Structures are given as structure tokens and as C-alpha cells.
Amino acid sequence: MPLSMVNIGEPMQIKRVGGKEEVRRFLENLGFVAGGVVTVVSDIGGNVIVNVRDSRIAIGKDMAKKIIV
């Protein structure tokens, strides 16, 4: 399921990152790689704040839909 549908506080393993090559590369540089663990901290107005690699990152709903967990 896409990251945008994950419950808050539930750690999930990333299965794959979709989208165009440049979008995948951007997300991978932020730490969203297959096999990594991501936890949703909050979901405000469609924007998602997540913990990944000991960092908090805010991404939009469109980006969150490209991350499959």
C-alpha cells in the first residue's frame, strides 16, 4: 500500500519507490530506499511527516503515493 495510507506511528518497511527516474532518485537521496524502515509521524492536510534514517522529512501526498510499503 502507498505510504499515504499508513497509520500514524506504525513502522513500515519500504517495498519499492515508484515514479519517474528523477523522482525516484530524489526520494532515494532523502533515504526512501527499498528495505528501509519509515514511520509516519503526522498527516496534516495531505502532507506527511515521516521518520526515515533518524531524520524527519515532510513530503506531499503525491510523493507519499509513490512510496510503496
Side-chain angles (χ1 to χ4, degrees):
M1 79 177 132
L3 183 62
S4 59
M5 296 178 66
V6 172
N7 294 328
I8 294 173
E10 186 177 348
M12 300 292 285
Q13 185 172 11
I14 300 170
K15 303 292 185 209
R16 67 180 175 87
V17 179
K20 295 181 180 178
E21 179 63 31
E22 58 198 39
V23 173
R24 283 197 315 264
R25 199 172 317 125
F26 173 74
L27 289 171
E28 287 172 359
N29 287 336
L30 290 176
F32 296 97
V33 294
V37 177
V38 62
T39 306
V40 175
V41 176
S42 70
D43 185 358
I44 303 170
N47 296 321
V48 181
I49 299 175
V50 297
N51 274 341
V52 63
R53 285 190 181 173
D54 298 327
S55 298
R56 282 194 175 182
I57 299 173
I59 57 174
K61 191 176 226 176
D62 291 338
M63 288 281 191
K65 287 181 181 178
K66 295 179 185 339
I67 301 167
I68 306 300
V69 294

